[in-house]
Amino acid sequence: MAFKKIRQKLKSKGSSEGTPWQRATAELEKQNKAEKKQKTSKKSGIKHLSREKKAKLTKSKHLPEATGTDKRQRYFGWYGIFSVGLVLSGFLISPYGKVKDIYVEGAQAVPEQSIIDASHINENLTALGVVWNDDKVDAFITDVLPQVKTAEVTLRGLNDITIHVTEHETIAYVSSDGYYYNVLDNGTVANTELKVPIGNNPIITSFEMNQNLDDLLEQYMQLTDSVQNSISEIKYTGTEENPYTITVYMNDGNEVKASLPSFAEKILYYPDIVSQLGETKGTIDLEVGVYFTPFTQTTEEDASASADSAIPSE
């Protein structure tokens, strides 16, 4: 009985699991099924990609037919730019692109030829190159000619140059060694020699080009326009005992004696002093306080002194 049961169990087991051959056959069928599934998924992916490619190709087929025209337009555009550049380069290299004539506008106190010489512009330069480098031209002119405040370069026609000049205002002249030198509104003295002064600006005389002149100009720049315009001449009259004395000759006929360190401060009271004097002319001493001496009194004293000297002594 026990043996029968064992055989039945083995049979049932063998019938459920099968023989080794059967099991191997079943395993091989499973692998074949799995490979078929993988191939099927790859094919579907390839089909999906091919659909996308077809869609792209379809879109490209629907692109506008003007692509060739656009290319030709771009080609002609670049060709036009190149041609213009070539013509422009040829013009610049040719004699027609060189500077021909130079004109100066706005110059009054400075000679036009001096401005042209200082600009470094010559016939060997191209006109457009000069205009493009107008900052350098401005620096050349203002460095050599202090009277010029600004210089602007513009093109006139194809190859002519115009230099537009703005000058510093001349507020006085320094007389030295027979020449006159402009005192500019920025306090500097121009190195241009003039044989005669221009206009009615005050003349500064008997000053050497030293610290005293610098001190005077510093004081003079502090004066109002009305006071500056009322001065005819400023003369250095300093001595060893008092090296700062100056004498100021006014346009109304009065003379003012002042000291350099306090000149600007005290000369501002000149209009009030003159209003109190009326028509009387004389010397106003501003060195220490304010003192007035009429010219008539001085003349009478000088005449009396001359008469006394003429009487013979016993």
Side-chain angles (χ1 to χ4, degrees):
M1 293 294 292
F3 182 73
K4 287 182 179 181
K5 289 180 179 181
I6 292 170
R7 288 184 63 182
Q8 288 177 356
K9 288 180 180 180
L10 290 173
K11 286 181 179 180
S12 61
K13 187 176 181 181
S15 61
S16 61
E17 293 180 358
T19 63
W21 172 258
Q22 291 176 343
R23 289 197 298 271
T25 304
E27 186 67 24
L28 183 60
E29 289 179 355
K30 289 180 181 180
Q31 291 179 359
N32 290 334
K33 289 180 179 181
E35 290 178 357
K36 288 180 180 180
K37 286 182 179 181
Q38 290 179 356
K39 289 180 179 179
T40 304
S41 62
K42 287 182 180 180
K43 287 181 179 180
S44 62
I46 292 170
K47 288 180 180 179
H48 180 69
L49 291 174
S50 62
R51 288 174 185 173
E52 290 182 353
K53 289 182 179 180
K54 287 181 180 180
K56 290 181 179 179
L57 290 173
T58 304
K59 290 181 180 179
S60 64
K61 288 180 180 180
H62 289 85
L63 289 174
E65 296 180 358
T67 303
T69 304
D70 293 341
K71 288 182 178 179
R72 286 193 297 271
Q73 290 177 350
R74 285 197 296 268
Y75 170 76
F76 285 120
W78 285 110
Y79 179 77
I81 294 173
F82 175 77
S83 300
V84 171
L86 187 63
V87 172
L88 183 60
S89 300
F91 173 77
L92 293 176
I93 297 173
S94 70
Y96 297 102
K98 304 292 184 179
V99 174
K100 183 181 178 182
D101 295 323
I102 304 173
Y103 301 90
V104 178
E105 294 182 354
Q108 296 179 355
V110 183
E112 294 184 0
Q113 189 58 47
S114 298
I115 295 173
I116 295 174
D117 294 340
S119 69
H120 292 183
I121 301 175
N122 56 61
E123 60 186 8
N124 296 322
L125 300 176
T126 61
L128 290 178
V130 171
V131 174
W132 288 337
N133 292 280
D134 61 339
D135 291 341
K136 292 183 178 179
V137 176
D138 176 82
F140 288 146
I141 296 175
T142 54
D143 287 346
V144 176
L145 303 172
Q147 288 177 261
V148 178
K149 184 185 295 185
T150 59
E152 182 182 0
V153 180
T154 58
L155 188 65
R156 176 186 291 190
L158 292 177
N159 52 3
D160 292 338
I161 294 296
T162 301
I163 305 175
H164 303 269
V165 170
T166 302
E167 296 178 338
H168 285 286
E169 183 183 355
T170 297
I171 58 176
Y173 290 96
V174 174
S175 176
S176 178
D177 297 330
Y179 292 98
Y180 295 90
Y181 301 87
N182 303 72
V183 178
L184 307 178
D185 56 6
N186 59 356
T188 61
V189 179
N191 55 5
T192 305
E193 297 178 346
L194 300 175
K195 292 184 178 181
V196 294
I198 302 173
N200 297 320
N201 298 108
I203 308 297
I204 300 172
T205 61
S206 301
F207 277 86
E208 296 182 1
M209 299 292 184
N210 55 20
Q211 186 61 43
N212 284 338
L213 178 59
D214 294 338
D215 293 340
L216 173 65
L217 295 180
E218 183 179 351
Q219 294 286 316
Y220 185 79
M221 294 293 294
Q222 301 177 34
L223 304 182
T224 61
D225 292 341
S226 61
V227 174
Q228 288 182 359
N229 294 333
S230 66
I231 297 174
S232 174
E233 180 183 351
I234 302 176
K235 185 177 182 179
Y236 178 72
T237 53
T239 60
E240 292 183 1
E241 292 79 13
N242 189 359
Y244 299 109
T245 302
I246 60 174
T247 300
V248 183
Y249 299 93
M250 312 303 291
N251 287 325
D252 58 8
N254 290 317
E255 295 181 7
V256 176
K257 291 188 179 298
S259 179
L260 270 177
S262 60
F263 170 58
E265 178 184 356
K266 292 188 175 182
I267 196 66
L268 293 177
Y269 297 103
Y270 181 77
D272 294 333
I273 296 172
V274 171
S275 65
Q276 296 177 22
L277 296 176
E279 297 297 327
T280 306
K281 305 299 180 183
T283 301
I284 302 171
D285 194 335
L286 300 178
E287 292 183 90
V288 180
V290 179
Y291 299 96
F292 176 72
T293 304
F295 289 143
T296 55
Q297 179 180 342
T298 304
T299 304
E300 290 174 358
E301 291 177 354
D302 293 341
S304 176
S306 298
D308 292 340
S309 62
I311 298 174
S313 58
E314 295 180 355

